Amino acid sequence: MSGPRFEPVRTVRAYERIVEQVEEAIESGALSPGQRLPSERDLMGQFSVSRSTVREALRVLQARGLVRSRPGDPNGAEVLPFSPDALQRSMASLARVEGLSLGELVQFRMVLDGSANLLAARLRTPGQLAEMEAAIERMREAVTRGYDEFSAADLAFHDAVARASGNKLIQICVEVVRSIVLGLVADRLADAPDREALMRRSIRHHEEVLAAVRDGDGPLAARLARRTMYDYYAGYVPAAERPALRALLDQPHSAPE
Amino acid sequence: MSGPRFEPVRTVRAYERIVEQVEEAIESGALSPGQRLPSERDLMGQFSVSRSTVREALRVLQARGLVRSRPGDPNGAEVLPFSPDALQRSMASLARVEGLSLGELVQFRMVLDGSANLLAARLRTPGQLAEMEAAIERMREAVTRGYDEFSAADLAFHDAVARASGNKLIQICVEVVRSIVLGLVADRLADAPDREALMRRSIRHHEEVLAAVRDGDGPLAARLARRTMYDYYAGYVPAAERPALRALLDQPHSAPE
DNA sequence: CTAGTGCACTGGTCGGACCAGTAGGCTACG
DNA sequence: CGTAGCCTACTGGTCCGACCAGTGCACTAG
């Protein structure tokens, strides 16, 4: 019945072929971070295309966060180590275009941070515990030194937990979503009149989370982490969205809701 | 002590300004999906730059998944609806460059899918329940019709759950990570000798999950969903990584480990 | 009224040109 | 002899003008 199976032909542009080749070289490790690509003028020779085409390919690679070029650099473009920048931009763009609400973002952080704590409670090393303690100590000192420093210390704590979870994907997503959420509410947090009280309460909550992680009680750590997140951000989430957040708080089976 | 606070100056390239303007127009809604940008030759007039510069900007926008251009199209580039393609590519690239293991990916899916079910159990509408049932029915029919169809029905189920969670971010991440995982193991799943038995067991598990979602028992649905995922993929995860996955399975507080 | 043809556009690619940067070698001065 | 400063040969960023292969639409010939 059916003759030979024909595949749809997609016209492939020259610059795409270049992107593919360079991408492959980077992801396979043939090109490692810090190394330099040949100059654009060299590349046009190697690929037998014009410089415009080479440049369009480099623009794409740069947009994907794989290389960076700098005018005047006697070497060519630099191969970058992976950075979640591209991931973060996609998500931030997603947040705006799709109209992601603050509630959804916070909810997502509750999920990720809870899971990170659950795993960290079982897998953390003594060194990582020390990092978490140090981060909380920095938070204490930062109470009198302004919101920026407090936020940085808070980041250090959550990052230590995420690393202790042993899952790089969780770690990166936590960081990405965190920065998006902060971009939405940082000014309101920094200007809150009861800022200092908020910080102190947050520190207390973090101490409780840390205690659970230290005790190896993952479910407790997860629950506390979710509640900490909720308490910290719920005030900025429209009341209509809060029930969805609270759905993540009561883990026991007989939750009345 | 300190004089005026100077900000570091970053030289901004012409094409970046164009990208920013178009991006802003799209994300603010001034340009909506389906609409067309002016032609490159028009744009060079509007931005007062050369066509090369316009094209580099368009390449970046295209790499970010915001527009698409087609040779010969009498209109200009088309504004695309948001698609997680860019997000997916960043994550897939992350998976390769950072050496994300299958274990980490599956673990991440367990976290997301578990949370999606937890939320879906509380928020699902009757219509969404029907979709889930229909998806399972399709899975049953697909057992005798090949792996591809089964996988598609499975996707439909998980997508229905994710949508029912009410969190678009979870929905998108579930989809993105799922496709990456499938890219890693699809061939092994399709060729498994005990393929049919695997499918039947998976269907049974999905039915249990659905029952919990229907009953509104979120924690149970979450636990079952995580276990379903574990059972389905654990065989492909190196034994050394499995304990980290199992850490997500036993939620009871008194976990002995 | 329709089928076919051409034209006026589109994006993709090319080549050449100029500019403002940068780095590193070279020179001239101390 | 050492160093401060210049000079040059590159880099990437931008511009220009040109050509090609597609596409859609209006116009024309049947």
Side-chain angles (χ1 to χ4, degrees):
Chain A
M1 176 182 67
S2 68
R5 290 269 299 261
F6 293 122
E7 291 185 351
V9 181
R10 68 178 182 106
T11 74
V12 60
R13 287 140 228 196
Y15 76 88
E16 284 184 336
R17 308 294 293 264
I18 300 179
V19 168
E20 284 170 15
Q21 285 193 48
V22 178
E23 208 164 24
E24 161 62 21
I26 292 178
E27 290 180 350
S28 75
L31 279 171
S32 41
Q35 283 190 33
R36 300 309 190 95
L37 262 47
S39 76
E40 296 178 356
R41 289 169 176 86
D42 280 352
L43 288 175
M44 58 186 279
Q46 295 189 30
F47 288 111
S48 295
V49 295
S50 74
R51 188 155 161 242
S52 328
T53 305
V54 168
R55 284 180 60 75
E56 294 194 19
L58 289 177
R59 284 284 87 80
V60 174
L61 290 168
Q62 184 172 324
R64 294 190 188 166
L66 296 176
V67 304
R68 175 184 51 184
S69 34
R70 203 170 39 109
D73 192 327
N75 302 309
E78 179 184 2
V79 178
L80 294 178
F82 175 85
S83 120
D85 283 0
L87 196 65
Q88 181 163 336
R89 189 186 8 255
S90 320
M91 259 197 211
S93 154
L94 162 66
R96 281 195 283 177
V97 174
E98 288 286 276
L100 282 191
S101 64
L102 179 61
E104 283 173 290
L105 289 163
V106 171
Q107 190 176 47
F108 199 72
R109 279 195 69 189
M110 287 171 73
V111 167
L112 290 182
D113 208 57
S115 305
N117 276 279
L118 176 70
L119 293 166
R122 304 210 179 180
L123 306 172
R124 83 285 183 289
T125 65
Q128 289 162 335
L129 269 181
E131 281 181 52
M132 299 176 204
E133 283 168 18
I136 292 188
E137 181 55 33
R138 276 181 54 201
M139 289 171 76
R140 290 196 200 95
E141 293 167 2
V143 169
T144 58
R145 299 171 64 177
Y147 170 75
D148 285 348
E149 203 145 334
F150 181 82
S151 182
D154 179 74
L155 165 63
F157 180 83
H158 288 276
D159 192 58
V161 170
R163 266 182 289 119
S165 78
N167 190 308
K168 289 197 280 288
L169 198 49
I170 291 180
Q171 184 189 339
I172 289 170
C173 285
V174 161
E175 165 60 17
V176 167
V177 181
R178 189 194 124 99
S179 72
I180 297 177
V181 168
L182 279 188
L184 290 177
V185 301
D187 48 345
R188 283 188 277 175
L189 283 173
D191 297 341
D194 51 348
R195 185 163 42 96
E196 202 170 308
L198 276 179
M199 291 194 218
R200 293 196 190 284
R201 189 177 61 175
S202 176
I203 291 174
R204 211 164 51 243
H205 287 169
H206 280 72
E207 286 165 348
E208 292 172 10
V209 171
L210 175 58
V213 171
R214 187 187 289 113
D215 292 348
D217 190 338
L220 178 61
R223 220 167 340 118
L224 291 174
R226 285 189 291 262
R227 180 164 290 283
T228 299
M229 189 80 63
Y230 179 82
D231 283 349
Y232 200 62
Y233 289 109
Y236 306 99
V237 174
E241 289 192 286
R242 285 183 213 154
L245 299 189
R246 281 198 292 271
L248 289 174
L249 289 182
D250 333 293
Q251 281 287 19
H253 293 203
S254 57
E257 176 59 12
Chain B
M1 177 181 64
S2 68
R5 292 270 298 260
F6 292 123
E7 290 185 353
V9 181
R10 68 180 182 105
T11 75
V12 59
R13 286 141 232 196
Y15 76 89
E16 284 185 335
R17 308 294 295 265
I18 300 179
V19 168
E20 285 170 13
Q21 285 193 47
V22 178
E23 209 165 24
E24 161 62 21
I26 293 178
E27 291 179 349
S28 74
L31 279 172
S32 41
Q35 285 190 32
R36 301 308 189 97
L37 261 48
S39 76
E40 296 179 357
R41 289 169 176 85
D42 279 353
L43 287 175
M44 60 185 278
Q46 294 189 31
F47 288 113
S48 295
V49 295
S50 74
R51 189 146 91 100
S52 328
T53 305
V54 168
R55 283 181 60 75
E56 293 194 20
L58 289 178
R59 284 285 86 82
V60 174
L61 290 168
Q62 184 171 326
R64 294 190 187 166
L66 296 176
V67 304
R68 176 182 53 182
S69 32
R70 205 168 38 108
D73 193 327
N75 302 310
E78 179 184 2
V79 178
L80 293 178
F82 175 84
S83 122
D85 283 0
L87 197 64
Q88 182 164 335
R89 193 191 355 263
S90 317
M91 260 197 211
S93 155
L94 163 67
R96 282 197 283 177
V97 175
E98 289 286 277
L100 282 190
S101 66
L102 179 61
E104 283 173 290
L105 290 163
V106 171
Q107 190 176 49
F108 199 71
R109 278 196 71 189
M110 288 171 72
V111 166
L112 290 182
D113 207 57
S115 305
N117 276 279
L118 176 70
L119 293 167
R122 304 209 179 181
L123 306 172
R124 83 285 184 288
T125 65
Q128 288 162 336
L129 269 181
E131 282 182 51
M132 299 177 205
E133 282 169 18
I136 292 187
E137 182 55 33
R138 277 182 55 201
M139 288 171 76
R140 290 197 199 96
E141 294 166 3
V143 169
T144 59
R145 301 171 63 176
Y147 171 73
D148 285 347
E149 204 145 334
F150 181 82
S151 182
D154 179 74
L155 165 62
F157 179 83
H158 288 276
D159 193 57
V161 171
R163 266 182 289 118
S165 77
N167 190 309
K168 288 196 281 287
L169 197 49
I170 291 180
Q171 184 189 340
I172 290 170
C173 285
V174 162
E175 165 60 18
V176 167
V177 180
R178 189 193 125 99
S179 72
I180 296 176
V181 169
L182 279 187
L184 290 177
V185 301
D187 49 345
R188 284 188 276 175
L189 282 172
D191 297 341
D194 52 348
R195 186 162 42 94
E196 201 170 310
L198 276 179
M199 291 193 218
R200 293 197 190 283
R201 189 177 62 173
S202 177
I203 291 174
R204 210 163 51 243
H205 286 169
H206 280 71
E207 287 165 347
E208 293 172 12
V209 171
L210 174 58
V213 170
R214 187 187 288 113
D215 292 348
D217 190 339
L220 177 62
R223 222 170 336 120
L224 291 173
R226 284 189 291 260
R227 179 164 290 283
T228 300
M229 189 81 62
Y230 179 82
D231 284 348
Y232 200 63
Y233 289 108
Y236 306 98
V237 174
E241 289 193 285
R242 285 181 214 154
L245 298 189
R246 281 198 292 273
L248 289 174
L249 289 181
D250 332 292
Q251 281 286 18
H253 294 203
S254 56
E257 175 62 9

